[in-house]
Amino acid sequence: MSDVLPVVVAGAGPTGLMLAAELALVDVPVIVVDRLPEPMSAARAFAIHMSSVHMFHQRGLDQFEGARTFMNYNFGFPGVTALDAADLPLVVSQRRVEQVLEERVAALGVRIRYGHELVGLEQDDLGVTVRVRGDGEEYDLRASYLVGCDGGRSTVRKLAEFAFPGTDSTVCGRTGDVEILDERYQGGIGQPIYPTGLAAVIPHPDEPGMWRATAIEFDSDRAGDEVPVTLEEFKAAFLRITGIDLKIGRYGWFTRFGNATRLAERYRDGRVLLAGDAAHIHFPSAGQGLNTGIQDAMNLGWKLAAAVRGWGGDELLDSYHHERWPIGREACVYPQVQTALIHPPQTARPLREFIGALVKFDEVSRYIIERATGLGIRYPMAYGGEPAPEHPLLGYRIPDLPLRTAAGETSVAVLLRDGRGLLIDARGGTASPGFEDWADRLRVVAAEPADGLGGARVLVRPDGHVAYVDVDGTGDERLRTAVTHWFGTVDPSSATPSPAMSVAK
Ligand SMILES: Cc1cc2nc3c(=O)[nH]c(=O)nc-3n(C[C@H](O)[C@H](O)[C@H](O)COP(=O)(O)OP(=O)(O)OC[C@H]3O[C@@H](n4cnc5c(N)ncnc54)[C@H](O)[C@@H]3O)c2cc1C
């Protein structure tokens, strides 16, 4: 066995790639293993929510410009309309998201071990021994932390015995990439809801002349997962639901999926953590799985890096579970609500009528949109048992506000790109003194008072969430408490980081 690695990540899907990118950004060495011989060429997800696009922007990953937008946010809710078109999800394939992240981790020097499968693990107080099968042999990796980003059937979750309660699937979805020959259906097939299921076709964002066609039957077993979906099986399901005998020319990838809904009881057990589909699975009707996964990774990355570096303790690492588990729960609940609004028709019809009237109120629409898209994610911020002073930005991902500094024009997102936290002192003078010793993890910037900030001091975590707002520049003591809460303490004489609490198993 080689030396102890800081972190091993199982799974190079979007969640594992994002996590590896976040760790490598702040120079934490990471090994990623994936059992596939190479990245999957097919794309499951087709929707990326603007909350993820904003998050990518905060890392300088602006690769989705020009992408079309979906016409609505709701994927099933009746009548929820665009309150703000700039919030609509983009039609971007999962493959494209993965490519962006693959390029990112490669640029940061992370090599992914494709064809290497995690087959065993054992954790103790000091670390995790990970058994890997690859290149015709089995070998062990020893790591301080292991993160299971290995998808809905996560081996890490099973081997580490995380409870994964929930419900089994009651639908059989089939989806694939096809060429539609009948011009009548190339623009879509009309409304997606039918008495026995759902169906839709949308143009493929990466492959001109191809469409993503989907057919989901209610009250149907998702049997035969090991048997590949054939063209005939897909066409027959589409015909049963819609009555349309879709004329298909070329076709590529097909898969089945269901609506099993499960959420890990905990996201952390000592030195083993779960993220993405490994922690939560649900019906993909709201386009949330990929988005929730990469946002899990953004939340976890800097906390894990802090634990490895020694300035983050148990409380910081546990905040990953406390903040992300409720989001995972919402991601599970939302598609269940969507399904109840569609099936069975006799109960769904009156429900749709009722909710259809409610969503005409902007407040209701806004509530639904913020939950469906992740734009409304707000983490509670409290210090020493006291909630932080209320402010409209507090707990939310900070918008990309323009800033004028002594060095020139910049913006919040640009200042967050290096993965450190950010203390914006917008009082228009020099930067707040007293935080220099945190420079390896916290950037302090003096700026002119700015729209959205006024003349406040704003503490932003590395994941872009606002941790504290000192509105009038007088809350020195509480600001310092907030800084040490998220960024540990520093002994200036030795410049050695000392965490508020040590990291135990
Ligand atoms: C039809 C369909 C449509 C969808 N549409 C959307 C959408 O529009 N928007 C959206 O946000 N989400 C959507 N989703 C959900 C989205 O695809 C998933 O949530 C997303 O792939 C989860 O990413 P992940 O990295 O957590 O897991 P995965 O993408 O499943 O990646 C897990 C990786 O782990 C690897 N692995 C597994 N076991 C091991 C092991 N033992 N050792 C090493 N490696 C291992 C796998 O090979 C894989 O590469 C859709 C899903 C489906 C099925």
Side-chain angles (χ1 to χ4, degrees):
M1 200 193 312
S2 54
D3 298 338
V4 179
L5 301 155
V7 184
V8 167
V9 172
T15 308
L17 290 168
M18 185 73 201
L19 181 61
E22 284 300 286
L23 292 167
L25 180 65
V26 289
D27 296 324
V28 171
V30 51
I31 285 194
V32 185
V33 293
D34 196 294
R35 70 173 165 205
L36 291 177
E38 57 189 35
M40 201 197 267
S41 58
R44 279 174 284 168
F46 256 37
I48 181 164
H49 285 297
M50 289 313 287
S51 49
S52 298
V53 175
H54 296 163
M55 189 186 79
F56 275 31
H57 180 55
Q58 289 176 342
R59 291 293 181 259
L61 298 170
D62 298 306
Q63 311 245 2
F64 308 122
E65 273 150 20
R68 286 181 299 119
T69 51
F70 277 96
M71 296 302 289
N72 58 43
Y73 319 83
N74 52 35
F75 306 102
F77 264 110
V80 178
T81 48
L83 295 178
D84 186 347
D87 292 345
L88 286 168
L90 300 183
V91 186
V92 172
S93 76
Q94 178 162 342
R95 187 64 210 117
R96 182 70 201 119
V97 174
E98 288 165 350
Q99 277 167 350
V100 167
L101 291 171
E102 281 157 15
E103 285 161 20
R104 172 71 157 189
V105 295
L108 290 167
V110 180
R111 244 194 67 234
I112 298 163
R113 294 189 187 176
Y114 286 108
H116 288 237
E117 178 176 9
L118 179 148
V119 292
L121 69 90
E122 223 167 276
Q123 76 159 311
D124 52 56
D125 288 355
L126 298 177
V128 191
T129 303
V130 179
R131 189 101 185 126
V132 179
R133 187 180 299 144
D135 288 339
E137 56 169 11
E138 284 198 6
Y139 62 94
D140 286 341
L141 295 172
R142 177 78 180 159
S144 297
Y145 295 95
L146 166 69
V147 189
C149 301
D150 51 344
R153 295 178 182 172
S154 169
T155 307
V156 172
R157 187 185 66 229
K158 289 173 195 154
L159 290 174
E161 298 181 0
F162 283 86
F164 197 44
T167 53
D168 292 333
S169 180
T170 58
V171 307
C172 181
R174 297 173 180 88
T175 195
D177 296 337
V178 302
E179 180 190 22
I180 298 175
L181 299 179
D182 190 332
E183 284 180 16
R184 273 178 307 169
Y185 302 126
Q186 290 177 350
I189 57 167
Q191 63 86 32
I193 304 172
Y194 297 84
T196 60
L198 300 169
V201 297
I202 59 166
H204 198 300
D206 303 338
E207 295 179 39
M210 296 292 275
W211 280 259
R212 167 58 57 88
T214 302
I216 303 165
E217 289 181 282
F218 297 127
D219 305 321
S220 178
D221 269 352
R222 191 185 146 206
D225 259 0
E226 54 304 328
V227 183
V229 184
T230 61
L231 177 65
E232 290 65 39
E233 178 188 333
F234 178 80
K235 276 171 57 88
F238 203 90
L239 180 63
R240 279 195 298 276
I241 296 167
T242 62
I244 297 171
D245 184 8
L246 209 57
K247 299 284 175 285
I248 290 173
R250 287 174 296 136
Y251 59 94
W253 175 79
F254 281 113
T255 191
R256 291 187 198 86
F257 62 95
N259 67 346
T261 305
R262 295 182 179 278
L263 176 66
E265 248 169 34
R266 280 168 304 138
Y267 282 17
R268 177 186 176 211
D269 175 23
R271 293 177 174 273
V272 181
L273 298 106
L274 299 177
D277 277 17
H280 38 73
I281 56 166
H282 49 76
F283 198 31
S285 53
Q288 283 174 310
L290 173 149
N291 289 276
T292 312
I294 52 181
Q295 292 175 20
D296 285 348
M298 184 91 163
N299 186 288
L300 176 58
W302 68 279
K303 295 173 181 174
L304 205 48
V308 168
R309 292 255 174 274
W311 55 264
D314 261 336
E315 195 185 332
L316 183 61
L317 211 45
D318 280 340
S319 73
Y320 165 63
H321 167 89
H322 295 311
E323 293 182 343
R324 294 305 298 173
W325 187 90
I327 307 296
R329 187 174 178 280
E330 282 208 356
C332 289
V333 167
Y334 188 79
Q336 289 176 315
V337 174
Q338 282 180 307
T339 308
L341 284 165
I342 295 167
H343 187 76
Q346 62 274 23
T347 50
R349 219 170 285 124
L351 258 183
R352 288 179 77 76
E353 196 181 310
F354 188 77
I355 301 286
L358 278 183
V359 297
K360 292 201 170 72
F361 295 95
D362 278 2
E363 280 291 289
V364 177
S365 260
R366 170 61 57 198
Y367 175 87
I368 293 169
I369 289 161
E370 287 189 346
R371 256 122 218 97
T373 61
L375 287 164
I377 291 175
R378 184 182 205 193
Y379 300 132
M381 296 293 164
Y383 305 102
E386 290 278 311
E390 201 36 70
H391 186 275
L393 289 178
L394 188 74
Y396 288 107
R397 177 179 303 287
I398 190 166
D400 187 16
L401 303 168
L403 294 176
R404 181 171 298 148
T405 68
E409 305 281 338
T410 183
S411 82
V412 171
V414 169
L415 295 171
L416 282 168
R417 277 185 195 166
D418 68 4
R420 281 184 295 167
L422 180 62
L423 176 56
I424 307 166
D425 187 337
R427 292 178 297 180
T430 50
S432 298
F435 298 102
E436 298 79 7
D437 295 329
W438 281 264
D440 63 334
R441 66 202 86 150
L442 180 69
R443 182 201 286 256
V444 183
V445 172
E448 296 297 320
D451 282 353
L453 300 182
R457 287 187 294 179
V458 181
L459 180 65
V460 187
R461 307 190 317 191
D463 61 357
H465 282 265
V466 175
Y468 189 85
V469 184
D470 177 31
V471 178
D472 54 11
T474 57
D476 271 359
E477 206 40 53
R478 296 199 74 189
L479 177 60
R480 210 177 168 80
T481 306
V483 167
T484 52
H485 179 93
W486 294 112
F487 299 98
T489 53
V490 181
D491 176 357
S493 59
S494 64
T496 308
S498 46
M501 262 159 278
S502 64
V503 179
K505 178 179 156 306

